[in-house]
Amino acid sequence: MAQKSPNESNEIRRFDEANVARLGLISIQERIPPDFTSWTIDFAVDGRQARLSCVAVAEHGGVPHGLDNDVSLALITLYQEAGSPEDGTIVTTAYRILSVIGWDTSGHYYQALKESLDRLTTATFTASEAWRSGKKWTTVKFRYIDRLEYTSEDDKLGLSGQSVLKIKLAREIVESIRAKYLKPLDLEFLTSLDRPLTRALYRLLDAQRVAPEGGEVTQFRTNIVEWAKACKIVDQTPSRVRRTLEGAHAELVERGYLAAVEYQGRGPKQEVIYTFAKQATLPEEAREVVARLSRYGVSRPVAHSLIGVYGLERVEERIARFEAILLAGYAPRNRAGFLVDVVRDEEGKYSDPEGFVSRSRRMDADAAKAKRAEAAKRAEERKNQQAEAEWEQLDAKGRATKAMRMLTLILGKHVPIRYFSGLMEAFESGRLDPREVAEGAVRAQVQLQLVPFTQELMQVLDSLERE
DNA sequence: AGCGCATCCGCAAGGAAGTC
DNA sequence: GACTTCCTTGCGGATGCGCT
């Protein structure tokens, strides 16, 4: 998951583009019927009529929905991680995107990612008088992803862990991010939520929590049908909407993000009322404890309340006990829920004291750990062998072409075009190893070390030219 | 009568776990 | 990292009951 430097604030690490979050461009439904290829919603903003619409193609599975929410958020996160470049382009790997979202990195999800990117590249959004730009509401028309290029290891144009992607985000989104029209987002909490539907609803609700002018909202009340439209729920029959949202509401209440969800009235006139849980400010020493709880998926409001009720010392002691239980090999279904239970436990259900793990259990755990490390090492070796074989299969010309394809994508805008012919010559003459350079570029990209990498590469090419 | 809502059921997608 | 298997879960259609 997200890397964190020690100096970073524990409170807020990520930001979401506020227009995207507030408008809910992507249907929160996990699945949609194949003929759901467009939607239009009318709503009032600052007393003016606004309209938002989306037109997609059935070929890519209709309008963006479900997991596309996660992908769109990952792209915004990666764009900011790359330093919000002016041209809106990010270069990354498919593996990195899956890691940011917190998805499993199996073939299934590479396919899901590919389908999602296709939808985000083809669906066209129009926001009439609904897009916040500066202090005005403007009309814009765009596709979420303006341009998508990627390398593929198979002939079916599929994605895999080695795929390098070059993604240009919509100018409207890029300008908005660069103008800092952002809202804070607790990405750690979001990715810890179980269901895609809950994650999408959280993103949408959290956008309602902050007014466009910046003030905090404690309660959000809306008509159920209007809310269904905002969520882009297919069946907007009130009872269906309630059922669709039920699971997500339960999870957000259980995780302490929402204090309550109530309905008032009946039929299409009924209103849904969300009450947000309080976010208290905490003293400095408590923040580290909140951060530790958050790392295990406990929401901030719950963390705050645990510290409030049981005190810092007890919470810290129980976290240590919880960690000891995990270390001993216990794998709870719901880690956050289990941790909260360990903190609250008054009956001594979890008796392993801090630092005490029975010898046999520790030996088992150590053995399991060693086994896992060994398996990971073997997997790494196999992966290297496979990559080795792929490169070895190619002749010198093929290796140079493969490397050039990857490098054009990754280095395209960082390296003046004249260097590319020099690079090709260096590969063909054998003075540079194509695989070494290409893989070095991928590594540099992932580690955000592209600038030093390109500078060094250009120096090498300059010196080769002088020879 | 018309509408809202709850329930049941089949299907398909999501997701975890194990293996290579 | 990819693939397979299997179980779980959510969706959407159908149906019937109760309230206005």
Side-chain angles (χ1 to χ4, degrees):
Chain A
M1 193 30 60
Q3 296 293 306
K4 184 167 81 94
S5 77
N7 294 331
E8 266 182 61
S9 156
N10 289 325
E11 282 302 306
I12 293 158
R13 284 195 242 5
R14 305 290 175 166
F15 294 88
D16 194 359
E17 199 286 315
N19 279 302
V20 173
R22 183 180 46 79
L23 292 172
L25 301 177
I26 298 167
S27 168
I28 74 166
Q29 276 198 209
E30 287 166 38
R31 276 180 301 173
I32 57 167
D35 60 347
F36 187 28
T37 53
S38 69
W39 49 255
T40 300
I41 58 163
D42 292 293
F43 55 99
V45 57
D46 284 355
R48 295 225 304 266
Q49 257 327 98
R51 168 173 284 197
L52 181 67
S53 66
C54 171
V55 179
V57 290
E59 188 190 334
H60 294 306
V63 295
H65 61 280
L67 295 175
D68 301 345
N69 255 301
D70 292 345
V71 175
S72 79
L73 184 57
L75 296 183
I76 288 179
T77 304
L78 287 169
Y79 171 70
Q80 289 171 86
E81 259 185 27
S84 308
E86 197 175 349
D87 65 354
T89 304
I90 47 171
V91 180
T92 186
T93 61
Y95 180 77
R96 177 78 185 119
I97 297 177
L98 296 191
S99 307
V100 168
I101 306 171
W103 285 0
D104 188 39
T105 48
S106 65
H108 175 76
Y109 286 96
Y110 283 104
Q111 204 187 324
L113 174 63
K114 169 73 170 50
E115 286 165 10
S116 184
L117 290 172
D118 280 340
R119 277 191 291 276
L120 294 173
T121 309
T122 51
T124 305
F125 295 98
T126 309
S128 310
E129 295 288 315
W131 190 265
R132 191 84 167 173
S133 178
K135 288 194 170 164
K136 290 186 197 142
W137 296 104
T138 60
T139 295
V140 295
K141 185 169 187 158
F142 62 91
R143 284 170 298 129
Y144 204 102
I145 297 175
D146 200 31
R147 191 177 164 79
L148 170 68
E149 294 173 64
Y150 61 94
T151 60
S152 178
E153 301 295 316
D154 62 32
D155 52 6
K156 291 177 204 142
L157 300 177
L159 288 178
S160 69
Q162 284 110 52
S163 296
V164 178
L165 298 101
K166 186 173 183 179
I167 296 165
K168 187 176 182 207
L169 293 175
R171 189 175 52 82
E172 288 73 15
I173 295 174
V174 167
E175 281 176 1
S176 195
I177 296 172
R178 288 173 57 82
K180 299 266 184 281
Y181 185 48
L182 300 167
K183 73 168 209 54
L185 184 76
D186 188 342
L187 189 64
E188 224 163 283
F189 176 62
L190 184 139
T191 51
S192 78
L193 293 168
D194 277 342
R195 294 177 43 196
L197 182 85
T198 316
R199 294 197 290 272
L201 185 69
Y202 165 71
R203 193 178 176 194
L204 206 52
L205 267 176
D206 210 50
Q208 300 299 333
R209 195 171 190 167
V210 184
E213 295 74 26
E216 195 186 329
V217 177
T218 54
Q219 200 178 60
F220 171 60
R221 188 187 184 107
T222 181
N223 171 272
I224 193 161
V225 181
E226 294 304 312
W227 188 232
K229 285 179 188 166
C231 297
K232 320 296 174 305
I233 291 171
V234 181
D235 189 339
Q236 291 166 4
T237 312
S239 61
R240 293 291 192 185
V241 178
R242 285 172 71 153
R243 195 185 65 168
T244 303
L245 296 173
E246 199 181 339
H249 287 166
E251 195 176 350
L252 289 174
V253 169
E254 187 193 334
R255 297 292 304 281
Y257 175 75
L258 289 174
V261 182
E262 291 161 281
Y263 294 96
Q264 223 168 58
R266 46 181 282 135
K269 282 186 183 159
Q270 71 186 291
E271 291 198 314
V272 50
I273 305 155
Y274 292 104
T275 310
F276 297 107
K278 268 197 187 133
Q279 285 187 310
T281 48
L282 282 181
E284 192 64 38
E285 62 268 25
R287 290 199 185 171
E288 172 54 24
V289 178
V290 172
R292 282 179 73 191
L293 289 165
S294 298
R295 275 200 284 278
Y296 293 112
V298 177
S299 73
R300 285 184 207 288
V302 171
H304 287 198
S305 117
L306 289 175
I307 293 169
V309 174
Y310 301 105
L312 260 187
E313 206 174 315
R314 158 141 166 194
V315 175
E316 277 184 302
E317 183 253 315
R318 294 296 171 96
I319 296 174
R321 180 178 297 180
F322 161 83
E323 284 169 344
I325 295 171
L326 288 195
L327 205 63
Y330 179 64
R333 261 182 76 82
N334 176 349
R335 274 205 313 183
F338 178 65
L339 172 53
V340 171
D341 203 33
V342 171
V343 175
R344 287 184 178 149
D345 174 38
E346 301 284 3
E347 299 153 24
K349 277 192 282 182
Y350 309 106
S351 55
D352 268 354
E354 183 181 355
F356 175 79
V357 183
S358 69
R359 197 180 153 76
S360 61
R361 282 173 79 184
R362 188 163 38 201
M363 280 167 72
D364 286 349
D366 286 351
K369 206 172 161 186
K371 209 171 152 188
R372 279 198 299 276
E374 181 61 27
K377 200 177 148 196
R378 275 205 306 274
E380 180 72 21
E381 275 166 12
R382 262 202 309 280
K383 192 185 99 186
N384 285 339
Q385 280 167 5
Q386 211 177 347
E388 182 86 39
E390 270 169 25
W391 282 96
E392 289 305 319
Q393 275 170 9
L394 299 167
D395 57 10
K397 176 95 184 158
R399 280 200 289 276
T401 310
K402 179 178 165 111
M404 286 302 287
R405 205 172 57 221
M406 291 170 72
L407 290 165
T408 312
L409 266 185
I410 302 170
L411 306 179
K413 61 178 174 157
H414 296 277
V415 174
I417 200 86
R418 66 189 170 88
Y419 282 98
F420 282 98
S421 52
L423 203 51
M424 191 65 184
E425 274 170 32
F427 288 157
E428 285 177 341
S429 64
R431 285 186 291 176
L432 281 179
D433 179 46
R435 182 184 170 192
E436 213 171 279
V437 179
E439 292 187 345
V442 173
R443 255 195 322 276
Q445 172 64 42
V446 172
Q447 292 165 359
L448 301 178
Q449 295 294 319
L450 215 46
V451 172
F453 177 85
T454 49
Q455 277 168 356
E456 196 186 327
L457 182 63
M458 286 190 288
Q459 271 173 15
V460 170
L461 289 169
D462 283 338
S463 67
L464 284 177
E465 201 175 318
R466 280 196 297 273
E467 273 173 17

